Structure formats: C-alpha cells, structure tokens
Amino acid sequence: MAAWDLLFRRVHLATFAGSEPYGTLRDGALAVRAGRIVWLGAERDLPREARAAQEIDGAGGWLLPGLIDCHTHLVHAGNRAREFELRLQGASYEEIARAGGGIRATVAATRAADEAALVAASRPRLARLMAEGVTTVEIKSGYGLELSAERRMLRAARALGETAPVRVTTTFLGAHALPPEYDGRADAYIAEVCDVMLPALYREGLVDAVDAFCERIAFSPAQTEAVFRAARALGLPVRLHAEQLSDSGGAALAARHGALCADHLEHLSEAGAAALAAAGSVAVLLPGAFYFLRETHLPPVARLRALGVPIAIATDCNPGTSPLSSLLLALNMACVLFRLAPAEALAGVTRNAARALGRGDDLGTLEAGKLADLGLWNVDTPAELCYHLGYNPLALRVFGGQISGAGDAAQG
Ligand code: NIG
Ligand code: FE
C-alpha cells in the first residue's frame, strides 16, 4: 500500500460525522496523505502493512477537526474602550451609534491605517485564535465604507492568510453602517456599494461572500435586498447580520436569497426560524456580543433545534460588541448563556461553521477525503473544550496535513 505522510495513533476521535453528537470513535487512528484525511477508524483495524513517514502518539488525547471561526471583524484599527466606559455609565450601544460613535469610530481609525498597519494590528488577534486550535477564520470588511479602505481591509485579510498557515475566507460588508459623508443618503450609499465597490473588489479576487447589517441603526430590508441581488448577480454567496437588536425580518429575507447563514438572531421570530429551516441556512449565534452588550433577549435555541436549523458559534471578534479573540470562551458562553449542549457548541465551530462558509464539502468533520485540518487536545472528554474558562488544552495543530506546535509554540 502507498505510504502515508502522517499517522495519529492512540487517539480518541470526535469526528462530528454521523448521528452520534460527537461522532465518537474511541481508541482510534487517523492517517493523512497529501494534505487530506485518507483513513480513520479503530486502531485495531489499522491495515497491518500501514506505514507513515511520521507517527504521532496521541497518548489518549482527543483529535477533533480544526476549529472554524465563521464570523469575525478581526481586521480593524483602534479600540473602543472609551465607549465601553460610556456604556458602563448607562449609555446604550444604539445611543452611542446614533451619536456618531460606535462603528463610525472604528471606521475613522481604520481609514487612517494603511494595509501594513491593519495587518500588524490584526495579527495578534489571529495568533490568539490559532493558539486555541482555529484553522479557518472568516474575516469581514466593513470598517472602511469607501472603496479604497474596504480594499485595504480585504487585502490585509488575504495577507494574514498568506503569511500564516490558517485558512482565511473574506466577506465584503460594505453595507455595515452609513459613512458620515452619506448622511441622509443611504440609498445612494447602497448604490455605491452595489455598483462600484462590490464589482471592483470582486474583480480583484478579494471577496468570497457578501454580508450586510439589516437593523434600524443600519440598513433596511429593501437596501439589504439590493446588496443581495448585486452579490447573487456575481455568483457570490450571501449572509446577514440579522435580528441582533430588533426583528427586521432579516433572517427570512436572507433565507429567500439562499443565504449560507444568518447571524446574531437574538430577536428571531418564529417565521424567521422557519424560513431558515426551509432554506437550509445556518444560524450563527454570537454569544460574545450577547454577553458584552448585556443583551437579555435570548436567541430561540429550542425552536432552531426543533426545526433542525444547523447552529454555528463564532467570536464576532470586533472592537464594539465583542472584543473577543477566544473561540474556546465563545464555546463556554454558548453553553452557559444559550444552554447549548457542549456537543452542539462544538458542532457549531466545526461541521456547521464549515457549512456557514460554504466549505462543508472539504472542512468541518473528520472524514476520509476532507482536508487534514486537525487539533489534538489534551483532555479526557471533548466537553472540556467548552467547560474550562481561560485554559487552553490544545496539544498540537495540523493545517492541511502540516504539523504545527501548540501552547507557546503556537503563537502565530
Ligand atoms: O457583529 N452588528 C454589527 N456589527 C458588529 C459590531 C460592529 C461594531 O460595533 O463595531 C457585530 O456586532
Ligand atoms: Fe458581526
């Protein structure tokens, strides 16, 4: 038989494939060739002639798919600690946004930064995600709100993906907020997004998907729909910040356009949940933003579950509502705040997160044929990834079949 590049022995596998919640395969082994998983099963079933260039003794740890953070605003400049202070004195997120702060404050800082400065500011955030076993990360634009600055953000995201082993997918979020120069002219800004910015950035190969913020402090359903039409005309998948602060019917609108996912969803209605189910869209829940805004309206998890809507979990790493660069902490919050079972939360950063990025065919589960993005964890059960607070039990990371250390060795 052909030799393998890499063989893990003495591991338990949480495959997130099949019907059992973790897809558990105890006392397993997993083999990699040419960057892909080529064999997995019980170690006792390993073909006797099995040979690999490198063998890893997992010492009874758990091997999981590499974690996927499917919703981040990781590339940005500056921070909003001052706004945090104001909110602690009683100001609300919406009040600050309406007074010209919020997203616009980060837009000013991001417009003032060149591409190198954006990369330098963002790399430590990416390194922290990677140090916890993240092997794929989605990064949005949306703090430029003009062609040149949106381009710099997306180029910075691509540059981060080229200089680190992590896979980066980009999302154009030109319709994140109304830039100050368009005050009172939201429709004109949406026309600029659809007719100028999106086509140019798409032609430059900078856009993998398109997002918008459908909310009373952002864009209306009609404006959101215009963005979706422009995206679909270019063949780009769409997704949406929907029902975060109020019910605008965004999830149903996203579902009508075959969205990969709808995200936030604290104020999702029964009809919105049903529309997501019918469209097969993923519900991406962002417990960091829920926590940081002290939101009290819970996303309808039981309803989503009953309807069979796949649930993903992400950090929403951003300076305003979720300055969080720990997917492990997001997992814990999803369990404690949203009452997800640890197996559900973990499926939300593996199988369902891959699906939210349109990458379910080659990422997100341990199955023969999938890309060998893996994490080996020094835990007794996978639930421990959700259970600990501020503790990182990652032992080893594998990006496309290439081993990279963990702990201090994993910093970027
Ligand atoms: O996902 N909801 C809109 N966008 C971000 C927040 C952006 C910001 O406040 O800077 C979010 O919560
Ligand atoms: Fe977001």
Side-chain angles (χ1 to χ4, degrees):
M1 66 181 294
W4 293 327
D5 299 331
L6 185 59
L7 174 62
F8 284 90
R9 308 181 85 120
R10 292 220 301 150
V11 283
H12 305 301
L13 307 176
T15 66
F16 296 97
S19 53
E20 191 267 334
Y22 292 103
T24 302
L25 217 166
R26 285 192 161 271
D27 301 311
L30 180 144
V32 174
R33 188 172 55 226
R36 290 191 182 262
I37 299 167
V38 288
W39 189 93
L40 75 169
E43 184 164 4
R44 64 171 180 280
D45 294 335
L46 263 177
R48 233 177 328 147
E49 65 280 19
R51 294 285 174 275
Q54 188 176 8
E55 279 198 17
I56 303 283
D57 178 355
W62 281 81
L63 196 60
L64 270 73
L67 306 187
I68 299 173
D69 193 350
C70 69
H71 178 142
T72 86
H73 308 252
L74 183 130
V75 169
H76 59 261
N79 70 69
R80 306 235 291 275
R82 176 66 194 137
E83 183 180 310
F84 180 56
E85 290 180 316
L86 292 174
R87 283 201 297 107
L88 287 168
Q89 288 162 18
S92 77
Y93 180 68
E94 277 196 65
E95 283 162 4
I96 290 167
R98 288 188 195 284
I103 293 174
R104 280 187 177 186
T106 302
V107 170
T110 301
R111 284 181 173 180
D114 64 15
E115 188 185 319
L118 287 176
V119 169
S122 307
R123 187 172 273 132
R125 292 187 276 271
L126 181 60
R128 283 196 292 277
L129 292 177
M130 291 169 63
E132 291 185 349
V134 170
T135 52
T136 297
V137 60
E138 183 258 13
I139 301 179
K140 301 175 196 299
S141 69
Y143 292 122
L145 310 184
E146 65 189 6
L147 178 58
S148 59
E150 289 287 299
R151 178 187 286 124
R152 280 202 302 282
M153 288 188 74
L154 293 170
R155 286 176 57 98
R158 286 276 192 250
L160 287 166
E162 280 154 18
T163 51
V166 68
R167 295 176 208 278
V168 169
T169 76
T170 58
T171 301
F172 173 60
L173 178 56
H176 193 195
L178 191 62
E181 60 275 18
Y182 276 91
D183 263 339
R185 297 187 299 130
D187 285 337
Y189 178 65
I190 290 295
E192 173 81 6
V193 164
C194 297
D195 302 340
V196 179
M197 293 161 71
L198 175 58
L201 298 169
Y202 167 74
R203 272 195 306 274
E204 293 167 32
L206 292 170
V207 182
D208 298 328
V210 175
D211 195 350
F213 187 18
C214 184
E215 188 57 68
R216 53 193 179 203
I217 56 166
F219 296 102
S220 69
Q223 290 160 344
T224 300
E225 184 150 33
V227 175
F228 283 174
R229 285 190 199 288
R232 300 303 293 149
L234 295 171
L236 287 167
V238 298
R239 55 186 300 167
L240 189 62
H241 282 72
E243 273 73 283
Q244 180 184 13
L245 309 170
S246 62
D247 179 14
S248 311
L253 171 64
R256 277 204 299 285
H257 287 267
L260 290 170
C261 56
D263 305 33
H264 284 288
L265 303 177
E266 280 86 342
H267 295 266
L268 181 66
S269 68
E270 175 68 37
L276 292 179
S281 305
V282 176
V284 179
L285 305 184
L286 304 167
F290 178 92
Y291 163 83
F292 198 69
L293 294 180
R294 300 187 80 226
E295 177 62 70
T296 51
H297 206 286
L298 283 160
V301 169
R303 201 63 206 122
L304 292 169
R305 213 182 256 144
L307 288 164
V309 177
I311 295 174
I313 302 297
T315 61
D316 196 13
C317 175
N318 79 70
T321 65
S322 190
L324 171 65
S325 48
S326 168
L327 194 54
L328 293 181
L329 187 50
L331 284 172
N332 177 270
M333 289 176 170
C335 296
V336 173
L337 299 174
F338 295 166
R339 313 302 290 165
L340 260 67
E344 288 178 307
L346 284 165
V349 295
T350 54
R351 183 183 64 232
N352 296 342
R355 190 164 154 182
L357 297 180
R359 298 292 304 270
D361 288 346
D362 59 0
L363 294 172
T365 62
L366 302 183
E367 290 178 280
K370 289 219 172 173
L371 290 165
D373 288 4
L374 314 165
L376 178 64
W377 299 85
N378 188 14
V379 291
D380 295 327
T381 65
E384 273 187 63
L385 272 66
C386 304
Y387 156 81
H388 294 285
L389 285 165
Y391 171 65
N392 176 9
L394 184 69
L396 199 74
R397 321 171 290 184
V398 179
F399 298 93
Q402 300 296 315
I403 291 187
S404 151
D408 287 344
Q411 300 300 319

